[in-house]
Structure formats: structure tokens, C-alpha cells
Amino acid sequence: MVPTISGNLFRPDPPAQGPAADGPGAHAAPAGYPPAPAAPTAHPAGTAYTGHTAYTGHSAYTAPAAHTAPAGDPLAGLVPPPGPFAASGVPAGQVPGAQNPAGQIPAAVPMIGAAVAAANWADPAAQDAPTVEFKAFNKAVDGRPAPHVVALGGGHGLSATLAALRTVTDALTAIVTVADNGGSSGRIRRELGGLPPGDLRMALAALCGDDEWGRTWADVLQHRFGGPAEGGLHGHAVGNLLIAALWERLGDPVRALDWVGRLLGARGRVLPMSTVPLEIEALVAGADPADPGATGVIRGQHELAVTPGRVLSVRLSPPEPPAAPEAAAAIRAADWTVLGPGSWFTSVIPHLLVPELCAALAETRARKLLVFNLSPQPGETDGFSAEQHIEVLADHCPGLRLDLVLADEMSCGAPRVYGPMEKAAAALGARVVLAPLAAPYRAGDKSPRHDHALLARAFRGVFAGG
């Protein structure tokens, strides 16, 4: 049975005087989504009602057609009905269709992630995922201090994690890969030496606040110069140049990143995973179209991203690189460590190949959470099943132990996906928790993305559950 955490996912965190009042406020949708419809103002305890409608185009809130209102809190404790279409709000034994009785949630309402689910993990039944709801984690309510969280990764995956986590805790450290060799980072690395700044820049931008100062500096940090392609500044990100300048000025990459964080008002600390620039070397099968059965070594993160074939394993050069001491210390002092999402072989696994970080992960008392991608990534994990994503982590870090695996309910909830995935997670000591995590598609862009607000809600629920 898929584990759940009870409660209302979209109820705002309760104010100090008590729970949110019944009505539209109790169903406030996240920023950017359609407002929730008004709910009845009174529901006697023990009385079922059907005035609950799912957000149009939003899979994260899918209440059943009717539920029993608990005493004292008529909108809490929603439990999806059993059956294969529970996540669509369809009662057990009934298939989805265009016609629905009055008061019942339309089964055919478009839901975020539905199109993704048809392709994710090559399993068209993934939309059968059960709904998981979370109780709120709010230090102002229960008086507990915010957890110290260390997030490991790189690129867009880590940025999504940090953008969510900075709204959950004020004790946050990012540990970032330093193997990028393409674009602006690659040019700085070749011309100036030192660490590639790109993934570090993205992490700092994700930690900027939502006020005018934070938004402005995040945009400036990410801004890339235009001009003629042959120009010296063309394609460089402002943040990359700022970080490189401070590295040269201070001679210490960690101090430089701390100074940039202070300038931005970053809601956390950003650290490199290693104090030396790294290269990724991958063993790839089928990289040569003329000889699809052959294997070969591809060197460089950028080269790996554009190489066809199936990645079998990766290693770092130099082998067994030193970790940034501050990074290893942060892992040992953490309450939670979060690994992923992101490019599995170039952003997630490299952390496990730094001996001091791997040892710190083994020794820390922190709970370890793995966040799954929404779908296999072209160029790295094409054709991988959900369980293979977990198994390849263990292959690269024997002895790895996890506590929880967090995955999108639409991508991984179908029995054909969830069952084998649960077994692979259990082999590492972890259980799987499903939750709505996918963002709506952007116009003209069908790439699956994690929704920051949904990811933050999921983190709150996981941290509150211990």
C-alpha cells in the first residue's frame, strides 16, 4: 500500500489563532493557479457532502466526490476512495468518462502531469496513481525549529529543490557539482582555471528571496550578454563573471561564494562539492551508430550530454577528489540530506564518487531523502525504469542507505512502476512516498518540470512526518 500523510495539501499553514476557516480561504490555490471554488460554509460532523471540486488543470488537489467531515474541522482528513482512478476523483468501480452525476468531480478534467504520465517510465497506466495528501509542517504552530537541510545536486534539478526548500527552512546548505565544461562555465574554466561557476550561480539564484531585492539580483545573476557571437562577452552569464572575479580577488572559492550570497541576500549557503575542478568520464554503449554494440569512454559533461547511446557508469577525473571540508561538515551536521532531482549521471551520482562526501553520508545521523525525476532524461537515462534509477545509485556507491524516496504520483504511482520501485528502495532501507510534484506545461514547452510550490508542500509533509 502506498504510504500517505493525511491532511489537506492546499490548506494554507494555519495562523496562530487556529485552523483556516471553512470556505474559499481554506482551499486557497497556489500562486498562478485558478482559485478554488467556494465550499459550503457549514458541514455537521459526520455528514457527507459533495461540494468539492478539483482545480481545473491541476492534479494536485483531487478530493473525492464525497467525504465525511470530521468534528471540528470539516475540510480536513480527506481520504481518496479506493480504486484504480482514485487520483482522478472517480469512485471505486467506476471508469472515467465525460458524464458524471451532479456533484461528482468530473473524471475528465485535464490534470497536470497527465500527458507526462503517458510517456514517463514508458508506462501509459501511470495516470492511475493514488493521491497522497500531506499535513502541514509549520514551526510557528508546533514550536519546533526548522530542520537543517543539505541538498546535493546541480543544474536545474538542484535549483528546483532549493527554490522549494528556502520556503520551508532557513537552515539550508546546497552542495553543488563542479564538473561542467560547456558554455560560459567551460570558457571561464579554460581561460582562468579554477572551478566552473555555472551550477553554483544557478544555486545562488534559486536561493534569492521573493522580494524586489532578491528577484532583481536573481535576474542579474542569470543574465547573459548578447552581442556578436565572436565577442568576448557573448554568452557569458553575469553571475559566472562575478563569482570568477571574487575567486581571483579572495583566492578562496568558499569565501567568494559566501560573499556573493551576502550580496544577494541568499536564503542559504552554497558550497562546491570539491575544491578542484572535475571531469566526468562515462562508459557508454552504442555511442557509435556504426557499431551500436560497442562501448566506449566519453569525457566531459558537455560531450556526454550530446552523445547518443546508453550510459553504463561514470567516474570522476581526478579519481577520489577532495571534498570541500565545509561540505562534508554540513552533511554531518544536517537533520536531512536531499539528493536529486537532476541529471542522474552528471548531477546526482558525482556526489557519491567523492570519498569524503560518501563517508559523510554514511556517518551522518541525518535522514536521507532521494527526490525522483519526473521522467527518464534523454541522453542519460533513456529506457531506464524507475527501479533502475535507484539501482544505479547503489552500483556507484556500495553501502548507500536511504530513508525515503519522494516521487511524483502521476509518474510513479501505477502498480507496474511503483511495485518494482518500492522493492529497489527497500533494498537501500527506504520507503517510497508519492505526491503531486509536476508543474503545468508552459506554452510551447512540454518539458516536465517540478513545481516549486508542490515540492515545498511535499518537503513540509515529509519533514513533519519525520
Side-chain angles (χ1 to χ4, degrees):
M1 180 177 179
V2 178
T4 63
I5 303 174
S6 63
N8 190 341
L9 180 67
F10 278 118
R11 171 167 298 185
D13 292 337
Q17 66 269 23
D22 193 3
H27 292 264
Y33 291 107
T41 57
H43 312 291
T47 301
Y49 65 99
T50 58
H52 228 52
T53 306
Y55 293 135
T56 301
H58 203 286
S59 70
Y61 188 86
T62 51
H67 60 270
T68 300
D73 193 358
L75 295 180
L78 305 183
V79 179
F85 295 97
S88 299
V90 181
Q94 182 173 325
V95 298
Q99 301 298 320
N100 296 276
Q104 181 180 308
I105 298 172
V109 170
M111 304 164 89
I112 62 169
V116 177
N120 286 358
W121 318 116
D123 191 336
Q127 63 266 33
D128 297 352
T131 296
V132 176
E133 297 166 353
F134 290 90
K135 65 184 178 183
F137 176 86
N138 190 325
K139 62 182 179 181
V141 173
D142 56 27
R144 290 178 295 171
H148 178 196
V149 181
V150 173
L152 302 93
H156 295 286
L158 178 61
S159 293
T161 297
L162 297 177
L165 283 172
R166 68 175 171 81
T167 68
V168 176
T169 179
D170 51 9
L172 177 58
T173 302
I175 301 177
V176 186
T177 53
V178 287
D180 190 7
N181 67 334
S184 171
S185 287
R187 289 162 61 190
I188 290 173
R189 178 174 175 170
R190 289 188 296 272
E191 294 175 22
L192 302 178
L195 303 177
D199 286 355
L200 297 160
R201 179 201 81 242
M202 292 178 65
L204 285 162
L207 290 175
C208 287
D210 295 319
D211 56 1
E212 183 181 11
W213 183 273
R215 291 194 304 270
T216 299
W217 274 110
D219 290 343
V220 169
L221 212 64
Q222 299 282 56
H223 175 75
R224 290 186 183 272
F225 290 102
E230 64 276 9
L233 287 177
H234 177 82
H236 272 305
V238 171
N240 288 355
L241 299 177
L242 175 62
I243 292 169
L246 280 166
W247 283 346
E248 284 198 343
R249 177 72 179 83
L250 300 175
D252 182 339
V254 172
R255 282 186 64 208
L257 292 168
D258 286 343
W259 271 97
V260 178
R262 289 174 63 185
L263 173 65
L264 305 178
R267 310 297 174 86
R269 193 182 192 194
V270 173
L271 298 170
M273 76 174 186
S274 177
T275 53
V276 299
L278 304 175
E279 271 310 340
I280 290 178
E281 298 180 350
L283 183 64
V284 180
D288 182 1
D291 190 3
T295 60
V297 175
I298 303 298
R299 293 178 175 85
Q301 181 174 316
H302 172 72
E303 289 74 15
L304 181 59
V306 298
T307 299
R310 179 183 177 90
V311 180
L312 303 178
S313 64
V314 292
R315 62 182 182 233
L316 296 178
S317 179
E320 300 188 354
E326 298 86 350
I331 292 173
R332 288 188 170 91
D335 298 310
W336 283 87
T337 60
V338 179
L339 186 65
S343 301
W344 221 242
F345 284 103
T346 55
S347 293
V348 177
I349 289 177
H351 292 275
L352 305 177
L353 303 179
V354 179
E356 292 170 83
L357 296 187
C358 197
L361 286 167
E363 296 165 6
T364 182
R365 298 179 64 182
R367 304 203 69 192
K368 303 174 191 69
L369 169 65
L370 174 67
V371 182
F372 243 65
N373 290 341
L374 297 173
S375 67
Q377 182 182 359
E380 286 203 17
T381 53
D382 284 314
F384 272 46
S385 64
E387 65 271 20
Q388 284 176 308
H389 281 72
I390 298 174
E391 292 164 354
V392 76
L393 294 180
D395 291 341
H396 284 81
C397 185
L400 176 68
R401 305 295 290 173
L402 301 171
D403 292 287
L404 290 170
V405 175
L406 176 64
D408 179 60
E409 65 178 10
M410 300 297 287
S411 301
C412 299
R416 289 194 294 273
V417 177
Y418 179 82
M421 179 184 181
E422 185 180 34
K423 290 181 181 178
L428 300 185
R431 61 187 179 92
V432 179
V433 173
L434 301 181
L437 302 176
Y441 288 138
R442 295 169 175 169
D445 181 6
K446 300 300 183 183
S447 302
R449 295 176 298 108
H450 285 87
D451 183 280
H452 298 166
L454 298 182
L455 202 53
R457 287 287 183 181
F459 284 140
R460 287 192 183 98
V462 166
F463 297 160

